[in-house]
Amino acid sequence: MKNNSIFWHNLWIDAGKPSSGVVQHTRLACKAKYKLAMKNAYTLFENKLSDEMYSHFMNKRIPEFWKTWNSKFRKNTSKQVNINGHVSDIGIANEFATYFKQVFHSSNDQETCDEYLCKRKECINENLCASHKCIESVTVELLDKCMQKLNLGKACGPDDLCAEHLLYSHPILFKHLQVLFKLTLCHRYVPNSFGIGVTVPLIKDKTGNVNDVSNYRGITLSPVISKLFELMIMSLCNDSLQTDSLQFGFKDKIGTADAIFIMKSAINHFTDRGSSVYIASLDIRKAFDKVSHFKMYKSLLDAGVTIIIVDVLCNWYNKLHYAVRWNNALSAQFSVFSGVRQGSCLSPAIFNVFMNVFIKQLKQLGAGCYVSSLF
């Protein structure tokens, strides 16, 4: 329509810009059709975004809702970024690597390590049938079920493989993966490549300073085979990874909106009856990256996770190495000594188990609001 409008407009100019006649009539008709089509396309685009946001919001798909929101309302950042005087891709990548590396700290606290080893010693004599059952539960059917949970359309990991490669591969691949995963559990040893991650800096506030490293958060891409292995572990340990109903983080179909609703309802319940409510808040920023590994292992054992799984995770976390990618440049690798793995399917569940101790201790202390004997 645009080409037709331009064609008849040029023809109208060559004809001396007549004010009437076939050429003028056709020119105006083509121009009107083109403008109407543009208007309809814009309206369709707006409605599609609105319907998409509405659907995500009503179905509590909050991350997808904000992605759609940002695609409509956020402006693109300038591609000319200067990080601490570095403008080259490799220089910026190394600067981010230095910044992200500072977040982590060593988990090699002797007292914490001793506590974990003491707990492990208690569990080491657990029924061997539990470990055997865990290994034998790894079936092709289980892996296929876990495969269906992988998110499609995501970026490839360090191995340049994505979920679609597994989805559309020959079915015999899952038989080989079954053997690999069984051997991994049996020997409690993961491939070294499972520990490698590529961190991509994403800007937090696009209206803020794009040259400030603190205005970026890192999203780590992991090998897709390792993600499938994690989903398998979650299926094997599903019962042990359950947390208190007052834990709202990283759970399906609930989130901060539900937590805020419960808090406001509890406050209103007491204030309407003339009581005062005192609130204490805990700032756990960066907690995801600062979890002590040995405390995490002990928390998993306390929650009832099979020792064979904890040993596998211990071997895995000893091999964590990240590198930062900026455009096509890759920084030098650095070791990770604390925190749960970024870009991991299993990490949110592990973090919930680690944090669940706070809710359990609060319940034991009885420090909190009770509505009809409900804590």
Side-chain angles (χ1 to χ4, degrees):
M1 289 182 181
K2 181 179 180 181
N3 290 334
N4 285 339
S5 180
I6 293 174
F7 171 79
W8 284 101
H9 180 77
N10 292 334
L11 190 63
W12 174 72
I13 293 176
D14 293 340
K17 298 182 179 181
S19 58
S20 60
V22 177
V23 175
Q24 168 69 340
H25 176 75
T26 306
R27 180 185 77 88
L28 294 176
C30 288
K31 182 179 180 181
K33 286 181 180 179
Y34 174 53
K35 281 191 172 183
L36 181 62
M38 287 290 291
K39 183 179 179 180
N40 290 338
Y42 181 77
T43 303
L44 183 64
F45 173 75
E46 288 290 306
N47 291 340
K48 181 181 178 182
L49 273 176
S50 300
D51 292 343
E52 190 176 358
M53 284 193 291
Y54 174 78
S55 175
H56 291 327
F57 184 78
M58 294 303 296
N59 291 286
K60 294 189 176 182
R61 296 191 294 263
I62 303 304
E64 287 76 9
F65 170 83
W66 286 114
K67 286 180 183 177
T68 308
W69 176 282
N70 290 333
S71 68
K72 180 176 181 179
F73 295 107
R74 288 291 183 91
K75 297 179 180 179
N76 291 327
T77 57
S78 172
K79 294 183 179 180
Q80 298 297 324
V81 176
N82 185 322
I83 303 295
N84 296 333
H86 294 274
V87 293
S88 65
D89 290 346
I90 186 63
I92 293 175
N94 285 321
E95 282 296 312
F96 275 116
T98 302
Y99 173 72
F100 290 140
K101 184 179 179 180
Q102 294 173 353
V103 175
F104 306 105
H105 64 88
S106 176
S107 297
N108 293 328
D109 177 63
Q110 190 59 47
E111 182 179 352
T112 306
C113 180
D114 291 341
E115 289 178 1
Y116 159 67
L117 293 175
C118 182
K119 181 63 181 180
R120 186 181 184 279
K121 189 175 181 180
E122 294 176 12
C123 302
I124 199 70
N125 296 322
E126 70 178 6
N127 193 337
L128 293 177
C129 292
S131 298
H132 179 73
K133 181 181 179 182
C134 183
I135 296 174
E136 291 304 314
S137 298
V138 181
T139 62
V140 172
E141 291 75 17
L142 176 63
L143 296 184
D144 183 66
K145 183 180 177 181
C146 293
M147 170 61 229
Q148 305 306 318
K149 298 179 182 179
L150 281 174
N151 294 324
L152 303 179
K154 300 296 183 179
C156 295
D159 52 3
D160 289 329
L161 296 178
C162 60
E164 285 79 359
H165 285 99
L166 299 184
L167 180 65
Y168 301 116
S169 64
H170 194 282
I172 198 173
L173 173 65
F174 287 91
K175 183 61 181 177
H176 292 296
L177 290 176
Q178 179 198 18
V179 175
L180 171 65
F181 292 167
K182 276 190 171 185
L183 288 172
T184 298
L185 292 177
C186 183
H187 296 283
R188 310 183 188 196
Y189 182 93
V190 300
N192 293 336
S193 59
F194 274 25
I196 298 176
V198 174
T199 301
V200 180
L202 296 181
I203 194 164
K204 297 177 185 177
D205 183 8
K206 293 186 178 181
T207 61
N209 184 5
V210 297
N211 298 322
D212 184 7
V213 289
S214 62
N215 194 26
Y216 290 82
R217 60 187 178 92
I219 296 296
T220 303
L221 307 177
S222 304
V224 69
I225 303 296
S226 70
K227 290 185 178 180
L228 183 63
F229 182 66
E230 289 173 325
L231 289 172
M232 182 202 73
I233 290 179
M234 288 183 66
S235 297
L236 296 177
C237 305
N238 185 56
D239 294 338
S240 301
L241 295 176
Q242 298 300 316
T243 55
D244 196 279
S245 59
L246 289 178
Q247 168 63 267
F248 293 91
F250 307 114
K251 287 186 176 180
D252 290 336
K253 298 182 180 179
I254 59 174
T256 53
D258 304 274
I260 293 171
F261 171 76
I262 287 183
M263 184 183 74
K264 291 179 69 175
S265 299
I267 293 173
N268 293 335
H269 174 83
F270 286 96
T271 54
D272 290 346
R273 289 161 176 76
S275 296
S276 298
V277 179
Y278 300 92
I279 299 176
S281 62
L282 179 65
D283 186 353
I284 56 170
R285 282 179 296 180
K286 303 293 185 183
F288 209 75
D289 298 322
K290 292 188 176 182
V291 170
S292 169
H293 287 169
F294 291 113
K295 286 187 178 180
M296 179 183 71
Y297 305 146
K298 183 177 181 297
S299 298
L300 292 174
L301 290 175
D302 288 336
V305 177
T306 311
I307 192 170
I308 190 174
I309 299 294
V310 178
D311 284 349
V312 167
L313 291 175
C314 186
N315 179 265
W316 197 342
Y317 274 72
N318 284 332
K319 299 178 177 180
L320 295 186
H321 289 83
Y322 293 166
V324 177
R325 186 176 70 198
W326 183 263
N327 293 333
N328 295 321
L330 204 63
S331 73
Q333 289 188 357
F334 58 92
S335 300
V336 178
F337 300 109
S338 68
V340 290
R341 288 181 61 239
Q342 287 277 354
S344 162
C345 305
L346 185 60
S347 291
I350 293 178
F351 186 75
N352 276 358
V353 171
F354 180 79
M355 295 298 298
N356 198 53
V357 64
F358 290 100
I359 297 176
K360 292 172 63 176
Q361 289 182 357
L362 283 171
K363 281 190 171 181
Q364 292 173 359
L365 291 171
C369 292
Y370 287 84
V371 179
S372 299
S373 74
L374 181 65
F375 178 76

